[in-house]
């Protein structure tokens, strides 16, 4: 894990420095360079995310939890990661307004993804209080 993060950090810092130099003459190329580095880092970490998902699945089975309980949590985490990345790309492109809209939409979608958990808690409370 540490080796992977060191490689990712090296690629990210190198790309950021190169993009900073290129940005003066060709801002579009600098943005593409930044995006390419970001995609590479994310794809490098994809196996780790898959391992986390597998562990969550295993823990939910051991705890006797239904998949419908774990799935909203995982979806919310994925939505938050995607929202953060999209917003930062928009900020890098100088589009702070779009970044704010992406963050707002991501928050709304994360809340919507968590609704099954809220419904489950309400059902549990009804059962306890009835």
């Amino acid at each position: 894990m540490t080796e992977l993060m060191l490689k990712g950090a090296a690629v990210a810092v190198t790309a950021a420095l190169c993009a900073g130099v290129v940005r003066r003459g060709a801002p579009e190329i600098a943005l593409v360079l930044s995006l390419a580095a970001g995609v590479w880092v994310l794809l490098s970490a994809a196996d780790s995310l898959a391992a986390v998902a597998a562990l969550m699945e295993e823990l939910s089975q051991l705890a006797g939890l239904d998949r419908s309980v774990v799935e909203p949590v995982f979806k919310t985490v994925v939505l938050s990661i995607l929202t953060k990345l999209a917003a930062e790309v928009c900020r890098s492109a100088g589009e702070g307004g779009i970044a704010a809209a992406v963050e707002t939409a991501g928050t709304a979608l994360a809340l919507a993804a968590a609704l099954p958990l809220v419904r489950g808690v309400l059902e549990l409370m009804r059962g306890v209080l009835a």
Side-chain angles (χ1 to χ4, degrees):
M1 298 284 175
T2 305
E3 181 181 322
L4 181 60
M5 190 57 217
L6 286 172
K7 287 179 182 178
V11 168
V13 169
T14 303
L17 291 172
C18 290
V21 171
V22 172
R23 186 169 284 119
R24 293 181 192 137
E28 306 84 19
I29 293 175
L31 182 60
V32 170
L33 177 62
S34 297
L35 285 172
V39 167
W40 184 88
V41 170
L42 286 175
L43 290 176
S44 297
D47 289 339
S48 297
L49 188 58
V52 170
L55 179 62
M56 284 180 64
E57 181 73 30
E58 184 180 338
L59 290 174
S60 69
Q61 287 176 354
L62 287 173
L65 296 175
D66 188 45
R67 184 173 179 88
S68 64
V69 173
V70 177
E71 202 169 284
V73 174
F74 191 70
K75 284 181 180 179
T76 303
V77 169
V78 170
L79 281 168
S80 68
I81 291 169
L82 291 174
T83 299
K84 175 118 177 102
L85 289 171
E88 290 303 322
V89 168
C90 291
R91 279 193 190 88
S92 292
E95 297 296 334
I98 296 173
V102 166
E103 288 171 340
T104 302
T107 301
L109 292 171
L111 288 171
L115 282 179
L117 288 177
V118 174
R119 286 191 183 106
V121 169
L122 287 175
E123 293 289 325
L124 182 65
M125 289 174 64
R126 278 189 198 138
V128 169
L129 296 175

